[in-house]
Amino acid sequence: MGDPVAEYSSRLQQQEQEIHSLTAEIESLKNPQSLVLSSHLDGLREENAKLKYRLNILKRSLQEERSQCSKTMMNINQRLQEIFGEAIREAWPDLENPPLAVTPNQQAKFGDYQCNSAMAMAQVMMKSKGLKVNPREIAEKIQQNIPDNELIEKTEIAGPGFINVHLKRSFVSKLLTNMLLNGVQPPPLESKKKVVVDFSSPNIAKEMHVGHLRSTIIGDSMCRLFEFLGYDVLRLNHVGDWGTQFGMLIAHLQDKFPNYLTVSPPIGDLQAFYKESKKRFDEEEDFKKRAYQCVVKLQSKDPAFIKGWNLICDVSRNEFQKVYNCLDIQIIERGESFYQEKMIAVVKEFEAKGLVEMDEGRKIVFAPGQQIPLTVVKSDGGYTYDTSDLAALRQRLFDEKADIIIYVTDSGQGTHFQVVFAAAQMIGWYDPKVTRVEHAGFGVVLGEDKKKFKTRSGDTVRLMDLLDEGLKRSMDKLKEKDRDKVLSTEELTKAQHSVAFGCIKYADLSHNRINDYVFSFDKMLDDRGNTAAYLLYAFTRIRSIARLANIDEVALRKAAETTDVLLQHDKEWKLGKCLIRFPEILQKILDDLLLHTLCDYLYELATTFTEFYDSCYCIEKDRQTGEVLKVNMWRMLLCDATATIMAKGFDILGINPVSRM
């Protein structure tokens, strides 16, 4: 059997297409020029009536399928855009690509959503047809043509032409019940696309530092989002594992551990080992010559030199893995060495198409609209980062057959990637209208002095030192709250890791990645405001409500099957609307890759829940004995729905909440 969700989506799509074609056919029949006096006039009228009949049946069928909630969550904003889009097409069938603007309403008294298309349409009509139309009249015409649908209770026109939308509370209640019964299921994809995310990318023989922290955290969260939405995701670690520096490292290895081929060298501190070899390279001419000879031997795949290279890479990999284990990162290493052979073919391809120019012995490529060329071959015949990145991009497009490729590096590399992408489009590797290739840049991490984050001695901060400091500080915070007196040793350790690494991740992700951000343990561990500490504590409290009322998961499941989620109180309604916005929040992030939107949403959800919980009794207890007198089960379901959405949000951010904190 096929995927029922895919079949359902396909059927809906086919019905939509047929409705559009039938509508167009009816419109053509209405055209007086086509109704010439002929013996076929009666036949045309009969055909028109049949088409209208079929169109109405299809619309009713589509309406019925939508009104019966599928197992997946509905993107309300997207559905409203479909409804208003249909209304606009009905009112102005000749208007090409009419502007569609639907947003959540900021003030509840004006409704739940707002369609702002009328003002933009007035400008379009003025520009394209020279017509001056009052936006309010346009809004009225849109309102008159809104088709029957499953979710709009009523619409009102306000101001110069805003259309305020009030949702049906009963429909929102059904959406919440559906989510409680089926879990947080994303809307179905039209097709399962392949996504490659290039992130983390430290250099072999060097410590991972705070700059790698941002790429690792942001890239992992993007992968988690794409994976949750149903994409086929390849997580790639483009490590710096090739180049002239390996000549000096291998030469130093030969001197310090001459028997490295038979006895594994005990390189404890690879950073110190690198500094030693670099010092010798800069100061000893004989060593420098031997280092260059080692590079030649390595590039010619001499077994002894390949073994030395592998030993150095393995020491680095073990260090990197410690960081990845702490942060729960899954990633496949595919370093620069993987693309060495492929670079030869890339240069030949550019040469064959006459796109290579000579410049003082270098081979360079100018891409359209770019002022800086790519250097694909150096004057000494060696390859560059430009060549390596072109080869990597080509492999991902043609071998991996990627539909979406995201590079997560610091914003300083933005110009470089812009030129690489332009060159790839110039040679015909991909069409940006079909394949999405994007650089998701990010700002630098600053210390509390607003300067680049460094140690007191001015060195780059080692990432493992930073994570260890986070663990220490989170334990201090938990003990400050006397959690060590309540939790078991195992629970305390889990809470320590959850708070430490959750706070570090959230502090990064809650800022717009494009901006620099100040790293401060004090701020990220503060349990007030938009921090992971606040959200983790809030989540634990929400989860504890059912437990304290002795309501287990079986009872909640049964309640979801039999109890309507009432949304009569203003705070119930506000919370219900906030919960169903989750799919549209994810869609926005999918479009702009800005993960702070999800953090802002989770904080809004937590504060909206607090308003609800303070105003609406979920459990009524005897004030003297503490005995539970009454459980308002529909409100317990709202608690469960909030915790469920928060848990999925945490999962996308790579944060692991614990049941007790």
Side-chain angles (χ1 to χ4, degrees), residues 449-461:
D449 58 359
K450 304 291 173 67
K451 295 178 181 176
K452 265 196 170 183
F453 196 41
K454 301 275 187 183
T455 62
R456 286 179 181 173
S457 61
D459 293 329
T460 303
V461 179

Side-chain angles (χ1 to χ4, degrees), residues 97-111:
N97 300 319
L100 262 177
V102 177
T103 58
N105 229 326
Q106 298 304 310
Q107 292 181 282
K109 64 182 179 181
F110 295 130

Side-chain angles (χ1 to χ4, degrees), residues 643-658:
T644 302
I645 291 286
M646 286 186 76
K648 180 48 66 179
F650 284 146
D651 186 52
I652 291 169
L653 297 174
I655 295 171
N656 298 314
V658 290

Side-chain angles (χ1 to χ4, degrees), residues 70-339:
S70 71
K71 290 186 177 181
T72 61
M73 292 187 76
M74 177 185 282
N75 184 329
I76 296 289
N77 194 302
Q78 212 167 59
R79 179 69 187 113
L80 286 171
Q81 286 187 41
E82 290 172 9
I83 290 167
F84 280 101
E86 191 175 334
I88 292 167
R89 283 192 299 274
E90 187 73 26
W92 293 276
D94 299 330
L95 193 62
E96 290 186 14
N97 300 319
L100 262 177
V102 177
T103 58
N105 229 326
Q106 298 304 310
Q107 292 181 282
K109 64 182 179 181
F110 295 130
D112 308 313
Y113 282 81
Q114 192 175 75
C115 175
N116 302 328
S117 296
M119 283 71 74
M121 284 178 66
Q123 291 179 347
V124 169
M125 289 176 176
M126 173 61 79
K127 284 182 182 177
S128 63
K129 299 186 178 182
L131 297 174
K132 189 172 182 180
V133 187
N134 186 327
R136 194 173 175 93
E137 290 176 18
I138 294 173
E140 287 169 356
K141 199 169 179 182
I142 293 172
Q143 186 185 41
Q144 290 161 10
N145 284 279
I146 292 173
D148 290 340
N149 61 82
E150 71 281 13
L151 73 161
I152 296 178
E153 180 72 41
K154 65 175 181 177
T155 57
E156 297 166 335
I157 297 172
F162 301 114
I163 304 175
N164 291 326
V165 178
H166 297 259
L167 299 178
K168 289 179 181 175
R169 298 195 181 203
S170 59
F171 187 73
V172 172
S173 175
K174 283 181 186 175
L175 291 178
L176 292 171
T177 297
N178 169 60
M179 188 263 286
L180 288 164
L181 293 174
N182 299 299
V184 185
Q185 302 288 341
L189 294 173
E190 289 181 14
S191 61
K192 189 169 185 175
K193 293 183 176 180
K194 177 77 174 278
V195 181
V196 173
V197 183
D198 177 326
F199 69 105
S200 194
S201 308
N203 290 311
I204 294 292
K206 292 184 179 179
E207 294 275 8
M208 286 182 78
H209 56 76
V210 75
H212 296 116
L213 180 68
R214 294 212 76 183
S215 177
T216 304
I217 289 172
I218 294 167
D220 175 61
S221 189
M222 285 181 185
C223 290
R224 288 170 179 268
L225 173 64
F226 280 113
E227 286 160 353
F228 171 64
L229 294 174
Y231 291 84
D232 177 15
V233 180
L234 178 61
R235 300 156 160 258
L236 288 184
N237 199 1
H238 190 80
V239 297
D241 66 351
W242 202 254
T244 54
Q245 74 271 25
F246 284 94
M248 69 182 191
L249 289 166
I250 293 170
H252 190 52
L253 181 72
Q254 289 171 333
D255 293 345
K256 196 164 185 178
F257 305 103
N259 61 345
Y260 75 91
L261 290 171
T262 53
V263 180
S264 185
I267 305 174
D269 188 344
L270 194 57
Q271 186 79 350
F273 186 86
Y274 181 90
K275 286 179 179 177
E276 288 169 12
S277 65
K278 183 73 170 71
K279 188 172 186 292
R280 291 185 67 190
F281 184 84
D282 292 340
E283 296 175 0
E284 300 175 26
E285 196 59 38
D286 288 345
F287 180 83
K288 191 173 190 175
K289 286 178 183 175
R290 196 152 55 85
Y292 281 128
Q293 290 168 359
C294 288
V295 173
V296 174
K297 291 276 190 183
L298 179 62
Q299 290 176 340
S300 63
K301 305 290 176 67
D302 183 300
F305 290 82
I306 289 292
K307 180 160 186 181
W309 172 71
N310 274 322
L311 285 168
I312 293 165
C313 289
D314 284 342
V315 175
S316 271
R317 286 188 191 107
N318 292 336
E319 291 303 309
F320 298 160
Q321 197 55 48
K322 290 176 186 176
V323 171
Y324 297 145
N325 289 343
C326 283
L327 298 175
D328 191 22
I329 306 295
Q330 304 297 320
I331 194 165
I332 295 169
E333 183 185 310
R334 193 176 287 175
E336 291 170 9
S337 61
F338 178 83
Y339 303 101

Side-chain angles (χ1 to χ4, degrees), residues 440-537:
F442 53 80
V444 299
V445 182
L446 304 175
E448 294 192 67
D449 58 359
K450 304 291 173 67
K451 295 178 181 176
K452 265 196 170 183
F453 196 41
K454 301 275 187 183
T455 62
R456 286 179 181 173
S457 61
D459 293 329
T460 303
V461 179
R462 289 176 70 246
L463 201 39
M464 274 312 300
D465 290 347
L466 194 76
L467 297 177
D468 288 341
E469 177 71 10
L471 284 171
K472 178 184 173 299
R473 296 229 191 180
S474 66
M475 181 59 81
D476 292 344
K477 187 77 176 179
L478 289 164
K479 286 181 176 178
E480 184 186 303
K481 289 177 162 288
D482 293 330
R483 303 314 295 162
D484 55 324
K485 296 172 183 172
V486 179
L487 303 175
S488 67
T489 304
E490 184 182 354
E491 287 174 331
L492 187 64
T493 302
K494 282 184 177 178
Q496 176 194 22
H497 283 76
S498 175
V499 172
F501 303 139
C503 285
I504 289 171
K505 287 183 178 185
Y506 193 87
D508 192 318
L509 296 169
S510 61
H511 290 84
N512 186 325
R513 63 170 164 78
I514 296 166
N515 301 332
D516 299 342
Y517 93 97
V518 175
F519 190 99
S520 166
F521 274 121
D522 289 339
K523 285 181 182 176
M524 64 178 67
L525 288 166
D526 193 341
D527 53 16
R528 296 162 299 177
N530 188 6
T531 66
Y534 168 76
L535 289 174
L536 286 166
Y537 286 124

Side-chain angles (χ1 to χ4, degrees), residues 541-555:
R541 284 196 301 274
I542 295 167
R543 276 283 190 232
S544 70
I545 294 168
R547 188 173 67 247
L548 294 172
N550 297 316
I551 300 170
D552 59 17
E553 287 185 16
V554 175

